Amino acid sequence: MLKHFVKLIRALSSNTAPAEIAHAFACGVMLGFLPKGNLLWLILFVFIFFMRIQRGVLVITMFASSMLTIFVDPIFHSVGYKILTAQNLIPFYTKALNVPFVSFLMLHNTVVMGSLVCSLAIYIPLFIVAMVFVWLWRKIIGEWVKNSSFVKTVSAVVTKIPLVRKITEIVQGLED
C-alpha cells in the first residue's frame, strides 16, 4: 500500500496527464463502491486495467472508497430497490435475467444496481474534482508541501538512518 501511495505522490508531481489521474480516481471510486465477488466487478476491473490510467491512484482510491461503502450501502440499497421495482422495467429485467450468464452480473441485487447507478452518476463530477485537485497540486499545494518545515525535518531525520539511506540510493539508482 505504501508503494501505491508513493506512486500517487509521484504521479501528482510528474508529467502524467491529469486526465489519467482523474480517470483513475473516478474508476477507483466506482470499483470501490461496487460489491466485490461478482462478474460485473471483474469485467469492469479487467476493462479498467487495460485503460491508460495511473494505477497507483486507482488502487488507493479503490481501497479508500471500499472503506466508505459501509456508510453508503443503505443509499445504494434504496436507489437499487427503486430501480429494480420500477413497474415499466420489470419485463426488461425478466428478459435480461433469462439470458445465460447475465445473472452472474448480480444486477438483480439492489446494492449492486444502486452502487453501479450511483457511481456512474458521480463519475463525471469526480473526474472534474480530480482534475481541479491535480491542477491545484501542481501549481500550489505540491510546492507548499515540499517546502514545509515538517517535510524537511522528516526528510533530514530519515536520511540519517543508514538502512533508509541505502534503500534511497538503490531506488535512485534504479530510476536513473
Side-chain angles (χ1 to χ4, degrees):
M1 189 69 182
L2 183 61
K3 178 176 86 171
H4 294 294
F5 186 72
V6 170
K7 282 184 178 182
L8 169 69
I9 299 299
R10 282 189 183 153
L12 287 172
S13 303
S14 72
N15 286 335
T16 303
E20 291 178 17
I21 298 169
H23 277 299
F25 178 75
C27 289
V29 170
M30 180 186 295
L31 288 175
F33 281 170
L34 280 169
K36 285 66 171 166
N38 59 52
L39 188 59
L40 176 65
W41 189 90
L42 185 62
I43 289 171
L44 285 173
F45 179 77
V46 169
F47 177 73
I48 290 169
F49 182 77
F50 287 109
M51 290 172 54
R52 186 177 173 96
I53 60 172
Q54 217 311 315
R55 288 183 181 81
V57 174
L58 175 76
V59 169
I60 288 176
T61 308
M62 189 171 54
F63 179 73
S65 59
S66 292
M67 295 297 144
L68 296 175
T69 56
I70 193 166
F71 303 111
V72 292
D73 268 352
I75 297 168
F76 295 156
H77 171 71
S78 63
V79 169
Y81 183 79
K82 288 182 184 192
I83 292 170
L84 290 174
T85 57
Q87 291 300 320
N88 54 350
L89 293 175
I90 290 178
F92 171 73
Y93 296 141
T94 304
K95 288 179 185 176
L97 284 175
N98 288 330
V99 175
F101 299 108
V102 171
S103 62
F104 293 127
L105 296 175
M106 299 293 290
L107 290 174
H108 57 279
N109 184 321
T110 57
V111 176
V112 173
M113 180 62 84
S115 62
L116 177 65
V117 169
C118 289
S119 58
L120 288 174
I122 64 171
Y123 189 91
I124 292 176
L126 287 175
F127 176 81
I128 293 169
V129 165
M131 288 286 287
V132 169
F133 178 76
V134 170
W135 181 82
L136 285 172
W137 179 272
R138 290 182 177 176
K139 298 292 181 192
I140 300 168
I141 301 171
E143 286 297 319
W144 179 77
V145 169
K146 189 169 90 173
N147 295 328
S148 71
S149 60
F150 175 75
V151 170
K152 288 180 179 178
T153 305
V154 168
S155 174
V157 169
V158 167
T159 54
K160 290 183 180 179
I161 301 172
L163 178 63
V164 173
R165 187 176 30 216
K166 188 68 175 171
I167 292 172
T168 305
E169 291 171 3
I170 291 171
V171 169
Q172 287 175 347
L174 292 175
E175 290 176 351
D176 296 332

